[in-house]
Amino acid sequence: MSPDEVAGRLRSGMTIGIGGWGSRRKPMALVRALLRSDVTDLTVISYGGPDVGLLAAAGKIRKLVAAFTTLDSIPLEPHFRAARQRGDFELTELDESMFMWGLTAATHRLPFLPVRAGLGSDVMRVNPELRTVTSPYADGEELVAVPALRMDAALVHLNRADARGNAQYLGPDPYFDDLFCDAATEAYVSCERIVPSTEFADAGAPQTLLVGRQSVTGVVETPNGAHFTSCMPDYGRDEPFQAAYAKAAADPDAWREFTARFLSGDEDTYQAAVAAFAEEGA
Amino acid sequence: MSTQDATADERSDVTRAEYCVIACAEAWRGDGEILASPMGTVPAVGARLARLTFSPDLLLTDGEALVIGDVPAIGATPEVVEGWLPYRRHLSMVTGGKRHVMMGASQLDRHGNQNISCIGDWKQPARQLLGVRGAPVNTINNPTSYWVPRHSTRVFVDKVDMVSGVGHDRAAAAGPSATRFHELRRVVTDLAVLDFETPDRTLRVRSLHPGVGADQVREATGFPLTIADDVPRTREPSAEELRLIRTVIDPAGLRNREVRT
């Protein structure tokens, strides 16, 4: 599939999960395809980074489910900050581990899972729909019942995949991409390179095969497709580009220029513009 | 002259940032074989100092997914990896309790409620900050300390706008499941070391950094603060500790960017 074909499978109003973490191995080529599409009114579930920032800037988010939205080396995502301060979308603000257990509950087809996290914090105040559950055993503990984070579609980016959807991560952290795929009705995997399944073993041990084809609807080959986030060990974060993104995001005129230069064409146009940007800095 | 003898009087060559490093390191004293999770440069130097001196069993990470077996300088690449701690397993360290985190705080109240999420009304904040991140799970599951590089009435407030990290009053109100593993250990600032070792478990000053007066701390705190007349000074670093800070852990002096002297 192509990134635009993936976006063509999505519908306005869907709940979409986006893998990666912060500014790390985000399916940015698929997010850019979403920006080019007329899909909007989304509920986005993400350990947020520039994926959330770009969708927020384009006005495509109706509701965000997140514990944070960060660029990592730049602590706060500027589009996210601006959108929150304008009150642009609803937010379900969860703790990082509540988020993980919400994904886990969804993958196990459970309505909720009990966690200690959240007790006593204002996560309970700002999400009045959250309920507690009491242990039926002798301890009688009262814990937070984190609801399952089911999603219509998941978008993730991995290092390698085969044409059937088995996908491999080669960096130090799998993040939660397997949970996103398992928690979704449809999941789309973009990857640096589509390889024959026979090549997986040479690249890494079996435990690097994170995502199984039974959970994957479509596979997309998008070299540099996590740019400008990191995709270790294929490439690190493009810090100069991210800094330029953050700077542009803070100013409407600069953002129009940035959009015209980088986000007004297809993925190949984007990658060519990024290469030109790198040349200028070199 | 032996600089190790200079314990009674403040030593002119020790910077404020170095007292802060020592105070952060002290937070992890006696912690044994658990993960030290420092957030910020000064806490990171402190955790590494504790590991190289009085808390040798501490686990440290590279700030990402690796548990490091050596203690490189801040910013340097570790040579030894002794374990794997991707986010999903890091969260198990938190809930399993074998971890002591030192977080930042945009706001902190006298009960230890901490805010890193946003300033103003949560629905449409005046200033969006980091979000709650892992503060709720941290505070309710493993020992938690805080690092405040600029002690001020903007940080130490009567009431935080969004409880991200859970304080003593809020944990008590939430019941036994919330208090079971709740432990706020220390608050280290550029002026003082504070803890909650009072009958009602509210903040008090444990020690003042050399050169800092009690009134200065009171004025920089947005609520009445207990400071005993005989409050001690933050202890002096040993010559060996200074050597480790200056030549091994932070030779680039990154600690001085976080603490104004």
PDB file of all heavy atoms in Angstrom, chain A residues 13-46:
ATOM      1  N   GLY A  13     -14.141  10.885  12.129  1.00  0.00           N
ATOM      2  CA  GLY A  13     -14.843  10.437  13.331  1.00  0.00           C
ATOM      3  C   GLY A  13     -14.269   9.185  13.949  1.00  0.00           C
ATOM      4  O   GLY A  13     -14.695   8.764  15.028  1.00  0.00           O
ATOM      5  N   MET A  14     -13.291   8.555  13.264  1.00  0.00           N
ATOM      6  CA  MET A  14     -12.691   7.325  13.795  1.00  0.00           C
ATOM      7  C   MET A  14     -11.852   7.588  15.048  1.00  0.00           C
ATOM      8  O   MET A  14     -11.398   8.708  15.284  1.00  0.00           O
ATOM      9  CB  MET A  14     -11.775   6.696  12.742  1.00  0.00           C
ATOM     10  CG  MET A  14     -12.470   5.773  11.757  1.00  0.00           C
ATOM     11  SD  MET A  14     -11.204   4.947  10.741  1.00  0.00           S
ATOM     12  CE  MET A  14     -12.197   3.612  10.057  1.00  0.00           C
ATOM     13  N   THR A  15     -11.654   6.522  15.815  1.00  0.00           N
ATOM     14  CA  THR A  15     -10.681   6.526  16.899  1.00  0.00           C
ATOM     15  C   THR A  15      -9.405   5.883  16.370  1.00  0.00           C
ATOM     16  O   THR A  15      -9.417   4.721  15.943  1.00  0.00           O
ATOM     17  CB  THR A  15     -11.212   5.748  18.116  1.00  0.00           C
ATOM     18  OG1 THR A  15     -12.371   6.421  18.612  1.00  0.00           O
ATOM     19  CG2 THR A  15     -10.170   5.672  19.211  1.00  0.00           C
ATOM     20  N   ILE A  16      -8.320   6.672  16.358  1.00  0.00           N
ATOM     21  CA  ILE A  16      -7.073   6.213  15.739  1.00  0.00           C
ATOM     22  C   ILE A  16      -5.954   6.187  16.766  1.00  0.00           C
ATOM     23  O   ILE A  16      -5.706   7.192  17.452  1.00  0.00           O
ATOM     24  CB  ILE A  16      -6.691   7.172  14.589  1.00  0.00           C
ATOM     25  CG1 ILE A  16      -7.851   7.224  13.617  1.00  0.00           C
ATOM     26  CG2 ILE A  16      -5.370   6.748  13.946  1.00  0.00           C
ATOM     27  CD1 ILE A  16      -7.508   7.171  12.184  1.00  0.00           C
ATOM     28  N   GLY A  17      -5.288   5.061  16.899  1.00  0.00           N
ATOM     29  CA  GLY A  17      -4.127   4.951  17.768  1.00  0.00           C
ATOM     30  C   GLY A  17      -2.859   5.156  16.958  1.00  0.00           C
ATOM     31  O   GLY A  17      -2.757   4.669  15.829  1.00  0.00           O
ATOM     32  N   ILE A  18      -1.915   5.873  17.524  1.00  0.00           N
ATOM     33  CA  ILE A  18      -0.653   6.131  16.832  1.00  0.00           C
ATOM     34  C   ILE A  18       0.487   5.636  17.718  1.00  0.00           C
ATOM     35  O   ILE A  18       0.616   6.061  18.879  1.00  0.00           O
ATOM     36  CB  ILE A  18      -0.489   7.632  16.521  1.00  0.00           C
ATOM     37  CG1 ILE A  18      -1.684   8.128  15.690  1.00  0.00           C
ATOM     38  CG2 ILE A  18       0.829   7.875  15.768  1.00  0.00           C
ATOM     39  CD1 ILE A  18      -1.655   9.614  15.368  1.00  0.00           C
ATOM     40  N   GLY A  19       1.320   4.745  17.175  1.00  0.00           N
ATOM     41  CA  GLY A  19       2.395   4.106  17.937  1.00  0.00           C
ATOM     42  C   GLY A  19       3.573   5.027  18.175  1.00  0.00           C
ATOM     43  O   GLY A  19       3.489   6.251  18.026  1.00  0.00           O
ATOM     44  N   GLY A  20       4.715   4.430  18.563  1.00  0.00           N
ATOM     45  CA  GLY A  20       5.888   5.212  18.912  1.00  0.00           C
ATOM     46  C   GLY A  20       5.735   5.827  20.285  1.00  0.00           C
ATOM     47  O   GLY A  20       4.860   5.426  21.085  1.00  0.00           O
ATOM     48  N   TRP A  21       6.564   6.809  20.555  1.00  0.00           N
ATOM     49  CA  TRP A  21       6.561   7.454  21.893  1.00  0.00           C
ATOM     50  C   TRP A  21       7.207   8.823  21.740  1.00  0.00           C
ATOM     51  O   TRP A  21       8.366   8.907  21.305  1.00  0.00           O
ATOM     52  CB  TRP A  21       7.362   6.582  22.861  1.00  0.00           C
ATOM     53  CG  TRP A  21       7.645   7.196  24.206  1.00  0.00           C
ATOM     54  CD1 TRP A  21       8.515   8.226  24.455  1.00  0.00           C
ATOM     55  CD2 TRP A  21       7.075   6.830  25.461  1.00  0.00           C
ATOM     56  NE1 TRP A  21       8.513   8.497  25.808  1.00  0.00           N
ATOM     57  CE2 TRP A  21       7.649   7.668  26.450  1.00  0.00           C
ATOM     58  CE3 TRP A  21       6.138   5.863  25.860  1.00  0.00           C
ATOM     59  CZ2 TRP A  21       7.323   7.565  27.798  1.00  0.00           C
ATOM     60  CZ3 TRP A  21       5.820   5.761  27.199  1.00  0.00           C
ATOM     61  CH2 TRP A  21       6.404   6.605  28.149  1.00  0.00           C
ATOM     62  N   GLY A  22       6.494   9.873  22.084  1.00  0.00           N
ATOM     63  CA  GLY A  22       7.068  11.214  22.003  1.00  0.00           C
ATOM     64  C   GLY A  22       7.569  11.489  20.602  1.00  0.00           C
ATOM     65  O   GLY A  22       6.816  11.368  19.632  1.00  0.00           O
ATOM     66  N   SER A  23       8.851  11.815  20.490  1.00  0.00           N
ATOM     67  CA  SER A  23       9.443  12.035  19.175  1.00  0.00           C
ATOM     68  C   SER A  23      10.318  10.843  18.787  1.00  0.00           C
ATOM     69  O   SER A  23      11.457  10.986  18.374  1.00  0.00           O
ATOM     70  CB  SER A  23      10.253  13.337  19.175  1.00  0.00           C
ATOM     71  OG  SER A  23      10.625  13.669  17.857  1.00  0.00           O
ATOM     72  N   ARG A  24       9.752   9.635  18.976  1.00  0.00           N
ATOM     73  CA  ARG A  24      10.491   8.395  18.707  1.00  0.00           C
ATOM     74  C   ARG A  24       9.650   7.426  17.877  1.00  0.00           C
ATOM     75  O   ARG A  24       8.541   7.075  18.271  1.00  0.00           O
ATOM     76  CB  ARG A  24      10.858   7.712  20.030  1.00  0.00           C
ATOM     77  CG  ARG A  24      11.685   8.606  20.932  1.00  0.00           C
ATOM     78  CD  ARG A  24      11.804   8.033  22.322  1.00  0.00           C
ATOM     79  NE  ARG A  24      12.242   9.094  23.233  1.00  0.00           N
ATOM     80  CZ  ARG A  24      13.037   8.913  24.273  1.00  0.00           C
ATOM     81  NH1 ARG A  24      13.490   7.718  24.559  1.00  0.00           N
ATOM     82  NH2 ARG A  24      13.383   9.922  25.037  1.00  0.00           N
ATOM     83  N   ARG A  25      10.175   7.028  16.770  1.00  0.00           N
ATOM     84  CA  ARG A  25       9.587   6.042  15.845  1.00  0.00           C
ATOM     85  C   ARG A  25       8.090   6.227  15.645  1.00  0.00           C
ATOM     86  O   ARG A  25       7.292   5.305  15.763  1.00  0.00           O
ATOM     87  CB  ARG A  25       9.907   4.611  16.294  1.00  0.00           C
ATOM     88  CG  ARG A  25      10.203   3.725  15.064  1.00  0.00           C
ATOM     89  CD  ARG A  25      10.560   2.306  15.387  1.00  0.00           C
ATOM     90  NE  ARG A  25       9.447   1.576  15.927  1.00  0.00           N
ATOM     91  CZ  ARG A  25       9.493   0.846  17.049  1.00  0.00           C
ATOM     92  NH1 ARG A  25      10.625   0.742  17.712  1.00  0.00           N
ATOM     93  NH2 ARG A  25       8.426   0.222  17.477  1.00  0.00           N
ATOM     94  N   LYS A  26       7.739   7.442  15.313  1.00  0.00           N
ATOM     95  CA  LYS A  26       6.348   7.764  14.992  1.00  0.00           C
ATOM     96  C   LYS A  26       6.090   7.480  13.507  1.00  0.00           C
ATOM     97  O   LYS A  26       6.977   7.719  12.666  1.00  0.00           O
ATOM     98  CB  LYS A  26       6.098   9.253  15.280  1.00  0.00           C
ATOM     99  CG  LYS A  26       5.943   9.567  16.759  1.00  0.00           C
ATOM    100  CD  LYS A  26       4.588   9.103  17.247  1.00  0.00           C
ATOM    101  CE  LYS A  26       4.427   9.300  18.751  1.00  0.00           C
ATOM    102  NZ  LYS A  26       3.083   8.853  19.205  1.00  0.00           N
ATOM    103  N   PRO A  27       4.916   7.012  13.152  1.00  0.00           N
ATOM    104  CA  PRO A  27       4.584   6.756  11.735  1.00  0.00           C
ATOM    105  C   PRO A  27       4.290   8.076  11.018  1.00  0.00           C
ATOM    106  O   PRO A  27       3.164   8.337  10.572  1.00  0.00           O
ATOM    107  CB  PRO A  27       3.352   5.858  11.826  1.00  0.00           C
ATOM    108  CG  PRO A  27       2.699   6.259  13.106  1.00  0.00           C
ATOM    109  CD  PRO A  27       3.814   6.641  14.052  1.00  0.00           C
ATOM    110  N   MET A  28       5.330   8.886  10.889  1.00  0.00           N
ATOM    111  CA  MET A  28       5.123  10.262  10.418  1.00  0.00           C
ATOM    112  C   MET A  28       4.666  10.320   8.959  1.00  0.00           C
ATOM    113  O   MET A  28       3.896  11.205   8.586  1.00  0.00           O
ATOM    114  CB  MET A  28       6.409  11.084  10.615  1.00  0.00           C
ATOM    115  CG  MET A  28       6.808  11.258  12.073  1.00  0.00           C
ATOM    116  SD  MET A  28       5.579  12.146  13.047  1.00  0.00           S
ATOM    117  CE  MET A  28       5.915  13.826  12.537  1.00  0.00           C
ATOM    118  N   ALA A  29       5.141   9.386   8.110  1.00  0.00           N
ATOM    119  CA  ALA A  29       4.696   9.404   6.711  1.00  0.00           C
ATOM    120  C   ALA A  29       3.187   9.153   6.643  1.00  0.00           C
ATOM    121  O   ALA A  29       2.483   9.747   5.809  1.00  0.00           O
ATOM    122  CB  ALA A  29       5.451   8.354   5.896  1.00  0.00           C
ATOM    123  N   LEU A  30       2.673   8.273   7.526  1.00  0.00           N
ATOM    124  CA  LEU A  30       1.231   8.018   7.544  1.00  0.00           C
ATOM    125  C   LEU A  30       0.478   9.230   8.100  1.00  0.00           C
ATOM    126  O   LEU A  30      -0.622   9.546   7.649  1.00  0.00           O
ATOM    127  CB  LEU A  30       0.929   6.760   8.378  1.00  0.00           C
ATOM    128  CG  LEU A  30       1.562   5.456   7.867  1.00  0.00           C
ATOM    129  CD1 LEU A  30       1.125   4.274   8.720  1.00  0.00           C
ATOM    130  CD2 LEU A  30       1.219   5.199   6.400  1.00  0.00           C
ATOM    131  N   VAL A  31       1.082   9.898   9.082  1.00  0.00           N
ATOM    132  CA  VAL A  31       0.463  11.117   9.615  1.00  0.00           C
ATOM    133  C   VAL A  31       0.422  12.194   8.526  1.00  0.00           C
ATOM    134  O   VAL A  31      -0.586  12.889   8.353  1.00  0.00           O
ATOM    135  CB  VAL A  31       1.222  11.617  10.859  1.00  0.00           C
ATOM    136  CG1 VAL A  31       0.739  13.002  11.285  1.00  0.00           C
ATOM    137  CG2 VAL A  31       1.060  10.626  12.017  1.00  0.00           C
ATOM    138  N   ARG A  32       1.513  12.315   7.761  1.00  0.00           N
ATOM    139  CA  ARG A  32       1.526  13.301   6.670  1.00  0.00           C
ATOM    140  C   ARG A  32       0.455  12.973   5.627  1.00  0.00           C
ATOM    141  O   ARG A  32      -0.190  13.881   5.069  1.00  0.00           O
ATOM    142  CB  ARG A  32       2.921  13.367   6.035  1.00  0.00           C
ATOM    143  CG  ARG A  32       3.965  14.046   6.916  1.00  0.00           C
ATOM    144  CD  ARG A  32       5.295  14.238   6.209  1.00  0.00           C
ATOM    145  NE  ARG A  32       6.085  13.013   6.114  1.00  0.00           N
ATOM    146  CZ  ARG A  32       6.986  12.620   7.031  1.00  0.00           C
ATOM    147  NH1 ARG A  32       7.210  13.353   8.103  1.00  0.00           N
ATOM    148  NH2 ARG A  32       7.661  11.501   6.863  1.00  0.00           N
ATOM    149  N   ALA A  33       0.243  11.671   5.389  1.00  0.00           N
ATOM    150  CA  ALA A  33      -0.833  11.288   4.460  1.00  0.00           C
ATOM    151  C   ALA A  33      -2.192  11.686   5.011  1.00  0.00           C
ATOM    152  O   ALA A  33      -3.079  12.123   4.267  1.00  0.00           O
ATOM    153  CB  ALA A  33      -0.769   9.783   4.195  1.00  0.00           C
ATOM    154  N   LEU A  34      -2.364  11.538   6.319  1.00  0.00           N
ATOM    155  CA  LEU A  34      -3.620  11.974   6.957  1.00  0.00           C
ATOM    156  C   LEU A  34      -3.831  13.475   6.771  1.00  0.00           C
ATOM    157  O   LEU A  34      -4.947  13.934   6.525  1.00  0.00           O
ATOM    158  CB  LEU A  34      -3.570  11.665   8.455  1.00  0.00           C
ATOM    159  CG  LEU A  34      -4.331  10.449   8.984  1.00  0.00           C
ATOM    160  CD1 LEU A  34      -4.150  10.352  10.498  1.00  0.00           C
ATOM    161  CD2 LEU A  34      -5.806  10.516   8.638  1.00  0.00           C
ATOM    162  N   LEU A  35      -2.716  14.232   6.873  1.00  0.00           N
ATOM    163  CA  LEU A  35      -2.814  15.690   6.701  1.00  0.00           C
ATOM    164  C   LEU A  35      -3.284  16.036   5.288  1.00  0.00           C
ATOM    165  O   LEU A  35      -3.995  17.014   5.088  1.00  0.00           O
ATOM    166  CB  LEU A  35      -1.452  16.351   6.955  1.00  0.00           C
ATOM    167  CG  LEU A  35      -0.871  16.256   8.364  1.00  0.00           C
ATOM    168  CD1 LEU A  35       0.491  16.949   8.423  1.00  0.00           C
ATOM    169  CD2 LEU A  35      -1.806  16.863   9.402  1.00  0.00           C
ATOM    170  N   ARG A  36      -2.864  15.224   4.303  1.00  0.00           N
ATOM    171  CA  ARG A  36      -3.249  15.491   2.908  1.00  0.00           C
ATOM    172  C   ARG A  36      -4.690  15.087   2.624  1.00  0.00           C
ATOM    173  O   ARG A  36      -5.277  15.515   1.637  1.00  0.00           O
ATOM    174  CB  ARG A  36      -2.327  14.721   1.950  1.00  0.00           C
ATOM    175  CG  ARG A  36      -0.911  15.239   1.881  1.00  0.00           C
ATOM    176  CD  ARG A  36      -0.137  14.610   0.723  1.00  0.00           C
ATOM    177  NE  ARG A  36       0.113  13.179   0.906  1.00  0.00           N
ATOM    178  CZ  ARG A  36       1.174  12.681   1.566  1.00  0.00           C
ATOM    179  NH1 ARG A  36       2.055  13.495   2.095  1.00  0.00           N
ATOM    180  NH2 ARG A  36       1.322  11.384   1.681  1.00  0.00           N
ATOM    181  N   SER A  37      -5.253  14.234   3.494  1.00  0.00           N
ATOM    182  CA  SER A  37      -6.603  13.721   3.267  1.00  0.00           C
ATOM    183  C   SER A  37      -7.644  14.666   3.867  1.00  0.00           C
ATOM    184  O   SER A  37      -7.298  15.630   4.548  1.00  0.00           O
ATOM    185  CB  SER A  37      -6.742  12.339   3.906  1.00  0.00           C
ATOM    186  OG  SER A  37      -6.908  12.479   5.317  1.00  0.00           O
ATOM    187  N   ASP A  38      -8.924  14.362   3.598  1.00  0.00           N
ATOM    188  CA  ASP A  38      -9.969  15.172   4.227  1.00  0.00           C
ATOM    189  C   ASP A  38     -10.519  14.495   5.481  1.00  0.00           C
ATOM    190  O   ASP A  38     -11.544  14.905   6.024  1.00  0.00           O
ATOM    191  CB  ASP A  38     -11.091  15.491   3.213  1.00  0.00           C
ATOM    192  CG  ASP A  38     -11.707  14.234   2.628  1.00  0.00           C
ATOM    193  OD1 ASP A  38     -11.328  13.128   3.083  1.00  0.00           O
ATOM    194  OD2 ASP A  38     -12.562  14.353   1.723  1.00  0.00           O
ATOM    195  N   VAL A  39      -9.842  13.446   5.952  1.00  0.00           N
ATOM    196  CA  VAL A  39     -10.248  12.768   7.191  1.00  0.00           C
ATOM    197  C   VAL A  39     -10.061  13.717   8.368  1.00  0.00           C
ATOM    198  O   VAL A  39      -9.001  14.338   8.504  1.00  0.00           O
ATOM    199  CB  VAL A  39      -9.413  11.485   7.413  1.00  0.00           C
ATOM    200  CG1 VAL A  39      -9.730  10.863   8.768  1.00  0.00           C
ATOM    201  CG2 VAL A  39      -9.643  10.497   6.284  1.00  0.00           C
ATOM    202  N   THR A  40     -11.079  13.842   9.199  1.00  0.00           N
ATOM    203  CA  THR A  40     -10.996  14.775  10.326  1.00  0.00           C
ATOM    204  C   THR A  40     -11.894  14.282  11.467  1.00  0.00           C
ATOM    205  O   THR A  40     -12.383  13.154  11.445  1.00  0.00           O
ATOM    206  CB  THR A  40     -11.383  16.205   9.865  1.00  0.00           C
ATOM    207  OG1 THR A  40     -11.095  17.118  10.918  1.00  0.00           O
ATOM    208  CG2 THR A  40     -12.853  16.287   9.482  1.00  0.00           C
ATOM    209  N   ASP A  41     -12.068  15.123  12.504  1.00  0.00           N
ATOM    210  CA  ASP A  41     -12.955  14.811  13.630  1.00  0.00           C
ATOM    211  C   ASP A  41     -12.492  13.533  14.352  1.00  0.00           C
ATOM    212  O   ASP A  41     -13.295  12.713  14.764  1.00  0.00           O
ATOM    213  CB  ASP A  41     -14.402  14.653  13.112  1.00  0.00           C
ATOM    214  CG  ASP A  41     -15.430  14.685  14.236  1.00  0.00           C
ATOM    215  OD1 ASP A  41     -15.225  15.439  15.216  1.00  0.00           O
ATOM    216  OD2 ASP A  41     -16.429  13.935  14.140  1.00  0.00           O
ATOM    217  N   LEU A  42     -11.182  13.388  14.493  1.00  0.00           N
ATOM    218  CA  LEU A  42     -10.612  12.144  15.011  1.00  0.00           C
ATOM    219  C   LEU A  42     -10.507  12.127  16.529  1.00  0.00           C
ATOM    220  O   LEU A  42     -10.288  13.167  17.164  1.00  0.00           O
ATOM    221  CB  LEU A  42      -9.205  11.941  14.436  1.00  0.00           C
ATOM    222  CG  LEU A  42      -9.114  11.795  12.921  1.00  0.00           C
ATOM    223  CD1 LEU A  42      -7.646  11.809  12.482  1.00  0.00           C
ATOM    224  CD2 LEU A  42      -9.799  10.508  12.465  1.00  0.00           C
ATOM    225  N   THR A  43     -10.672  10.936  17.101  1.00  0.00           N
ATOM    226  CA  THR A  43     -10.210  10.694  18.461  1.00  0.00           C
ATOM    227  C   THR A  43      -8.846  10.035  18.331  1.00  0.00           C
ATOM    228  O   THR A  43      -8.724   8.985  17.699  1.00  0.00           O
ATOM    229  CB  THR A  43     -11.177   9.784  19.234  1.00  0.00           C
ATOM    230  OG1 THR A  43     -12.404  10.486  19.423  1.00  0.00           O
ATOM    231  CG2 THR A  43     -10.604   9.404  20.584  1.00  0.00           C
ATOM    232  N   VAL A  44      -7.821  10.679  18.870  1.00  0.00           N
ATOM    233  CA  VAL A  44      -6.446  10.193  18.726  1.00  0.00           C
ATOM    234  C   VAL A  44      -5.950   9.653  20.064  1.00  0.00           C
ATOM    235  O   VAL A  44      -6.086  10.320  21.097  1.00  0.00           O
ATOM    236  CB  VAL A  44      -5.518  11.332  18.227  1.00  0.00           C
ATOM    237  CG1 VAL A  44      -4.059  10.887  18.233  1.00  0.00           C
ATOM    238  CG2 VAL A  44      -5.934  11.767  16.831  1.00  0.00           C
ATOM    239  N   ILE A  45      -5.395   8.436  20.019  1.00  0.00           N
ATOM    240  CA  ILE A  45      -4.822   7.796  21.207  1.00  0.00           C
ATOM    241  C   ILE A  45      -3.324   7.677  20.976  1.00  0.00           C
ATOM    242  O   ILE A  45      -2.888   7.006  20.034  1.00  0.00           O
ATOM    243  CB  ILE A  45      -5.436   6.392  21.415  1.00  0.00           C
ATOM    244  CG1 ILE A  45      -6.949   6.489  21.632  1.00  0.00           C
ATOM    245  CG2 ILE A  45      -4.766   5.677  22.586  1.00  0.00           C
ATOM    246  CD1 ILE A  45      -7.647   5.134  21.732  1.00  0.00           C
ATOM    247  N   SER A  46      -2.508   8.365  21.793  1.00  0.00           N
ATOM    248  CA  SER A  46      -1.079   8.421  21.470  1.00  0.00           C
ATOM    249  C   SER A  46      -0.247   8.770  22.694  1.00  0.00           C
ATOM    250  O   SER A  46      -0.657   9.584  23.521  1.00  0.00           O
ATOM    251  CB  SER A  46      -0.855   9.484  20.380  1.00  0.00           C
ATOM    252  OG  SER A  46       0.515   9.626  20.080  1.00  0.00           O
TER     253      SER A  46
END
